Amino acid sequence: MTPIELATRRRVTGLTSGEFARLFVTLERKVDGESAQWDASDVESWEIVGPPATADQHIIDTLGAANEFVATLARRLYRIITPAEEGTVVTVFPDDATFWADQPDLGGIPHALWNIAALQAIEWVRTETGVVCTLDSRAPLV
């Protein structure tokens, strides 16, 4: 995977370098038998010089999992809010800690993916019905 391909694919998921690194480590605990301990600075360097060849497939798998999570969650949220009434509110989260406290079964998944899915769900409602729903951010824990 080239550096620009990685950077572009990561940006399409809506994740920062740090969020992508955390998701990568959450999903891909080992790469070639070694513990995956990468962070944002590793991802940022990969976007300049390229990721290690041993991580290519793991990166593709992580990006695919992020996209699949957003698609699945957006469909689920859409089903929950429809039929929607004008002013229906969908909760989004300001940070990972607040998200994980509210959705403990999704610990390790960046809140940005939930927020993207929520936005997609309300856009589908607006496009299909003309009903405008809103996003409301949960207050941060700290």
Side-chain angles (χ1 to χ4, degrees):
M1 177 176 303
T2 66
I4 192 67
E5 181 182 357
L6 172 58
T8 303
R9 288 176 180 262
R10 179 192 53 78
R11 287 183 183 112
V12 166
T13 67
L15 298 174
T16 65
S17 299
E19 290 167 336
F20 177 75
R22 283 192 305 279
L23 181 63
F24 184 93
V25 170
T26 297
L27 297 178
E28 306 291 335
R29 298 190 189 282
K30 299 222 178 260
V31 174
D32 282 354
E34 300 284 322
S35 290
Q37 297 296 322
W38 295 310
D39 60 19
S41 62
D42 293 311
V43 174
E44 290 163 5
S45 74
W46 297 346
E47 292 178 359
I48 296 168
V49 299
T54 57
D56 263 6
Q57 188 59 50
H58 298 282
I59 291 169
I60 291 167
D61 293 346
T62 299
L63 291 165
N67 290 327
E68 182 59 32
F69 176 80
V70 169
T72 299
L73 183 59
R75 286 189 298 272
R76 187 174 104 196
L77 290 170
Y78 174 80
R79 285 192 302 273
I80 290 169
I81 64 175
T82 53
E85 298 175 359
E86 202 72 30
T88 295
V89 175
V90 177
T91 301
V92 293
F93 299 91
D95 55 53
D96 289 338
T98 306
F99 173 54
W100 297 335
D102 191 76
Q103 302 288 325
D105 57 319
L106 298 177
I109 302 294
H111 75 286
L113 296 181
W114 173 282
N115 293 353
I116 292 165
L119 179 62
Q120 181 64 64
I122 69 168
E123 283 298 309
W124 287 338
V125 169
R126 185 188 57 74
T127 300
E128 293 177 9
T129 67
V131 172
V132 176
C133 302
T134 59
L135 299 176
D136 183 48
S137 183
R138 175 79 34 95
L141 293 176
V142 254

